[in-house]
Amino acid sequence: MATTVDAEQARTLKFLETLVNQNSGSRNLEGVRKVRDIVVPEFTALGFTSRWIPMEQTGRAGHLVLTHKGRRGVKKLLLIGHLDTVFEPDSPFQTYVLNGDKATGPGVGDDKGGIAVILAAVRAMHAAGTLKSANIEVFLTGDEEEAGSPTEVARADLVAAAKAADVALDFEGLSRENGRDMGSIARRSSQSWTLVIEAKSGHSSGVWGANAGDGAIYAAAKIVDAFRTELPEPYLTLNVGLIAGGAEADVAEDNAHVSAQGKTNIIAGKAVARGDLRTLSPEQNAAAMRKMEWIVARNYPGVTSAKITFSEGYPPMAPTEGNKALLGKLNQVNTALDLPQMQPLDPMKRGAGDISFVAAYVDGLVGLGPHSTGDHAPGETVDVPSIWTQAKRAALLMTRLSAEKSTR
């Protein structure tokens, strides 16, 4: 398998170049479908069947599912990646460029490089004869970078696939620390919240009084400060990204802009704020939301209404014993390939992703794609040799997992 990965390097890079040069921003529905059309024949040639799940009802193109049926009774592997990128057609960053051991381009690492790793790995398994007995489902979402809404619809098929699988392997980027490859067994959640406060308004000469109260801005400041002082605990962070207040204040429909109007001699009648909450487990997430609601529900002078709402967001992927055992199996692969052992990455250093939606149903590993830098910005660069290393790891890991008895 390792020999095959090395022998097909030029072929894999050509495939990656073709993917990258086709724009597939999350909102470019036709572009995402064109990337699908590039990917499908590469896998069907290896015995995979393809299925397209349209997602126009969520505002996105859809998801590609590639299925290989092997021997009955052995583990079914769910491989997760995505077709879309953050770079829409109006981005000036559109072209693949190879320069020695580095390649730049939109999505070259996140996540078209991950798709290239998957393809190189299953080709290697095919050449070695180990793909024949393997049960593999490759699930490539078309909206990982900007999930369709509602999320429960956009991720329903991925969750269903996870419930039928024994193992989930995520092919987003490999994490490195001080030049060492790290194993990722956890990801924190990402959930937006919106705070809306309404208060008695009036002439500023009456502020702090028994009748007028403090106004909405003072209340917002107290609530946000309470979040900062009362919520912190290991693996929990809370950010306030937008805030506005005045006689009137509103959050725009895109949830990325706030507006306010008022005067210095008018007590603020309304305040709005938006931010995100990140946690490591469903229990920690639920407890944090309850505490935030409790803080908001306190009595604040002059406040007539205070409400906080939470988005669907990305759930957390906790560092379970099953995930740790998978990393142990990956390290056995590293031993076989004469590669260093991979230590668990601090979950604080890994953002949310699609595997988080299935973490409650199946054991998983994150970061089986290549190592890249500058993701989500012009100049995104992939470390080309990491493609070969990751493909070898994945091929051997999948071969070994595919020989194990299914627990489903």
Side-chain angles (χ1 to χ4, degrees):
M1 287 184 281
T3 300
T4 299
V5 170
D6 287 336
E8 295 193 345
Q9 288 183 8
R11 182 182 183 185
T12 301
L13 283 181
K14 183 62 180 177
F15 170 73
L16 178 59
E17 178 181 5
T18 304
L19 286 185
V20 172
N21 283 336
Q22 171 56 58
N23 180 277
S24 59
S26 304
R27 299 188 182 192
N28 180 8
L29 276 57
E30 184 58 29
V32 171
R33 288 189 285 263
K34 287 181 178 179
V35 169
R36 170 202 64 190
D37 294 341
I38 295 168
V39 171
V40 167
E42 300 291 343
F43 283 84
T44 54
L46 297 170
F48 286 77
T49 59
S50 69
R51 177 167 64 102
W52 179 248
I53 306 172
M55 278 289 146
E56 283 84 357
Q57 71 269 35
T58 70
R60 298 294 179 264
H63 310 314
L64 175 61
V65 182
L66 301 153
T67 305
H68 186 278
K69 292 186 178 181
R71 185 160 56 93
R72 295 182 63 182
V74 296
K75 286 187 173 179
K76 181 177 180 180
L77 312 183
L78 175 63
L79 280 52
I80 301 173
H82 59 93
L83 303 166
D84 64 317
T85 76
V86 300
F87 303 96
E88 298 295 340
D90 60 354
S91 169
F93 187 54
Q94 296 288 344
T95 307
Y96 174 92
V97 177
L98 177 63
N99 185 11
D101 284 345
K102 305 293 182 184
T104 61
V108 71
D110 184 18
D111 187 39
K112 292 174 178 178
I115 298 173
V117 168
I118 294 174
L119 180 59
V122 295
R123 277 181 179 159
M125 293 174 68
H126 183 264
T130 64
L131 180 62
K132 184 177 180 179
S133 61
N135 292 307
I136 297 174
E137 186 161 272
V138 183
F139 201 111
L140 303 177
T141 60
D143 61 348
E144 195 273 347
E145 301 293 4
E146 191 176 357
S149 180
T151 308
E152 61 184 13
V153 173
R155 291 297 176 269
D157 296 283
L158 178 60
V159 169
K163 290 179 177 179
D166 295 277
V167 175
L169 303 176
D170 174 281
F171 282 81
E172 287 200 286
L174 168 69
S175 293
R176 282 181 177 164
E177 282 192 342
N178 301 317
R180 293 181 61 88
D181 293 354
M182 305 296 289
S184 296
I185 58 173
R187 303 186 80 152
R188 294 195 302 152
S189 65
S190 177
Q191 184 174 27
S192 297
W193 52 266
T194 301
L195 175 67
V196 179
I197 301 169
E198 295 181 353
K200 296 178 182 178
S201 187
H203 197 281
S204 64
S205 62
V207 72
W208 302 343
N211 293 326
D214 295 354
I217 291 177
Y218 273 118
K222 289 177 181 178
I223 290 171
V224 167
D225 182 62
F227 288 167
R228 180 65 182 91
T229 56
E230 299 179 33
L231 264 73
E233 61 183 60
Y235 301 114
L236 184 154
T237 57
L238 184 142
N239 181 58
V240 185
L242 296 167
I243 192 166
E248 295 291 338
D250 289 292
V251 178
E253 288 187 8
D254 64 3
N255 285 323
H257 298 81
V258 292
S259 61
Q261 59 180 347
K263 293 183 178 180
T264 59
N265 61 352
I266 298 177
I267 299 172
K270 189 174 181 181
V272 295
R274 276 182 53 79
D276 79 356
L277 170 67
R278 295 175 186 260
T279 57
L280 188 56
S281 71
E283 295 77 15
Q284 186 181 42
N285 202 67
M289 288 193 294
R290 287 195 302 268
K291 194 164 188 177
M292 292 172 72
E293 289 170 341
W294 178 70
I295 290 171
V296 172
R298 293 172 183 169
N299 289 323
Y300 300 95
V303 170
T304 59
S305 173
K307 296 179 181 179
I308 188 166
T309 56
F310 298 90
S311 71
E312 297 169 303
Y314 283 73
M317 175 185 178
T320 64
E321 291 302 315
N323 296 354
K324 294 175 185 176
L326 275 177
L327 179 57
K329 293 179 180 181
L330 180 58
N331 275 325
Q332 292 174 3
V333 167
N334 285 325
T335 298
L337 293 172
D338 198 25
L339 294 169
Q341 297 292 285
M342 300 168 73
Q343 299 302 313
L345 180 73
D346 182 349
M348 293 288 286
K349 299 178 179 178
R350 190 96 212 190
D354 275 342
I355 195 172
S356 299
F357 288 102
V358 307
Y361 310 105
V362 64
D363 296 331
L365 279 179
V366 179
L368 290 168
H371 177 67
S372 57
T373 57
D375 293 3
H376 289 201
E380 179 177 333
T381 301
V382 71
D383 175 58
V384 173
S386 72
I387 298 174
W388 322 134
T389 301
Q390 291 293 79
K392 293 170 188 177
R393 281 175 171 146
L396 184 49
L397 178 63
M398 290 191 288
T399 292
R400 292 183 172 187
L401 290 173
S402 295
E404 296 178 0
K405 185 177 179 181
S406 174
T407 58
R408 295 291 188 181

